[in-house]
Amino acid sequence: MTDTFARIAGIGAYLPARVMTNDELSGIVETSDDWIRERTGISTRHIAADDEFTSDLGVQAAKAALDDAGMTVAGIDLIVVATATPDLTFPATATIIQEKLGSDHGAAFDVHAVCSGFLYALATADNFIRCGQAKSALVIGAETFSRILDWTDRTTCVLFGDGAGAVVLTADQGPQDGQGVIKTHLRSDGKFRELLYVDGGPSATRTVGHLRMQGNQVFRHAVNKIAGSMEELAEMAGIPIEDIDWFVPHQANERILQGVARKLAIPVEKVISTVGRHGNTSAASIPLAMEAAVRDGRIKRGDLILMEALGGGFTWGAALARY
Ligand code: ACO
């Protein structure tokens, strides 16, 4: 009997039309284009329109991924949405996206792991497919972080942006060509909660709240935790890190992603970086970066991709896939 694999059949992305520059931000808080670019690598980020919700961004990315896969939503039996900025406290943004896509079959739910959300959603859908509970899945990372930023706090509001990315996974009896999700590695440790959190919620405060972060503390943990997860994953998969074709990190900060690459001796030309244009789009950042590199021809079918992320919780992890 051959194993069932989750093949990445299509990828799509969506960014809101409005682009906010660092200069525009320097009119809102005391900051400068030089400071933001030097400390983070970010030049611009996209901001959702007032009437544009996380589900709308997710729907656009999902439609693009379905087109890319040559499929319609009728062929999808699982929708997993990674988001920390849902349209509403409930229902899940995944069911709102399901309805907006015109589907009424299968199952749809959200996973909440903040910036690691896409990896958690990918691992969830991969496991559903491997165990035969789903034949196809839409895995979506969609965020409107602009809605939970404190626009008077220069230490956080300059870092984030809005966007969505999606992949279609289909069950495949493999590995004829080895394409698909190879292995995922997820970690969390709740004792770091106060370094990165939102100070509101339905039960604790009955408000939405704002993002709070001790950025330099998060930075201190990020490189080691992420690199450790990637090393464990590579060992579990029996694939040396030097074999990867593309490193697609969560786009938090250019210094973090280059720091991880340096620690693991990944050459700079293998690093996919979109943080300069997108900022940190949390759960959307990995599929947004991957989509950009697929569209510009860098990532090709059969290439070996290593993804990683760390986010609020802390949650962190890594995933290996052959595109
Ligand atoms: N403009 C100008 N000055 C600023 C700004 C700003 N936007 N923000 C902070 N500063 C000042 C600080 O007030 C401080 O001034 P002081 O020395 O007078 O006190 C100085 O710059 C240095 O501040 P640090 O916080 O030490 O700066 P650092 O080099 O650490 O950079 C940053 C800050 C960019 C936030 C960095 O720490 C970082 O990227 N951290 C990780 C963020 C991250 O990865 N988050 C994880 C994912 S997010 C998620 O899961 C939701």
Side-chain angles (χ1 to χ4, degrees), residues 11-237:
I11 185 161
Y14 175 77
L15 289 160
R18 182 169 172 226
V19 175
M20 184 183 270
T21 63
N22 292 344
D23 284 338
E24 192 179 343
L25 270 165
S26 66
I28 300 172
V29 287
E30 200 180 324
T31 189
S32 66
D33 179 47
D34 279 353
W35 192 97
I36 300 171
R37 275 196 289 114
E38 190 189 309
R39 301 288 180 122
T40 71
I42 299 168
S43 298
T44 57
R45 71 285 293 143
H46 291 250
I47 304 291
D50 286 348
D51 60 354
E52 207 172 27
F53 306 151
T54 293
S55 63
D56 298 314
L57 275 50
V59 163
Q60 294 303 328
K63 283 182 175 170
L66 286 166
D67 278 354
D68 190 44
M71 291 171 65
T72 68
V73 75
I76 296 294
D77 47 31
L78 177 69
I79 300 175
V80 187
V81 174
T83 188
T85 46
D87 289 14
L88 301 166
T89 301
F90 77 79
T93 301
T95 58
I96 300 173
I97 290 175
Q98 179 190 29
E99 191 269 334
K100 287 182 178 175
L101 287 172
S103 167
D104 60 4
H105 66 276
F109 58 88
D110 291 357
V111 299
H112 191 340
V114 205
C115 292
S116 312
F118 183 76
L119 295 181
Y120 272 68
L122 186 74
T124 304
D126 178 45
N127 281 302
F128 266 75
I129 286 176
R130 279 178 193 269
C131 76
Q133 209 171 335
K135 293 236 172 311
S136 58
L138 259 172
V139 180
I140 304 168
E143 302 277 19
T144 47
F145 258 52
S146 61
R147 305 276 159 77
I148 56 164
L149 296 175
D150 176 351
W151 289 96
T152 65
D153 175 10
R154 67 177 183 173
T155 69
T156 53
C157 75
V158 303
L159 303 174
F160 296 91
D162 300 336
V167 294
V168 173
L169 299 181
T170 53
D172 206 358
Q173 298 305 311
Q176 290 98 342
D177 53 14
Q179 286 179 13
V181 180
I182 297 166
K183 228 167 196 45
T184 53
H185 181 260
L186 304 179
R187 288 292 319 278
S188 65
D189 187 341
K191 75 169 166 289
F192 298 107
R193 180 177 56 149
E194 287 183 2
L195 299 183
L196 177 55
Y197 67 104
V198 167
D199 63 4
S203 183
T205 63
R206 306 174 199 202
T207 61
V208 171
H210 291 113
L211 182 148
R212 304 294 173 204
M213 177 167 72
Q214 294 177 41
N216 47 10
Q217 296 290 322
V218 176
F219 201 117
R220 209 165 54 77
H221 287 282
V223 174
N224 287 339
K225 287 195 165 38
I226 291 167
S229 183
M230 288 163 65
E231 281 172 324
E232 277 185 57
L233 173 74
E235 198 180 318
M236 275 160 43

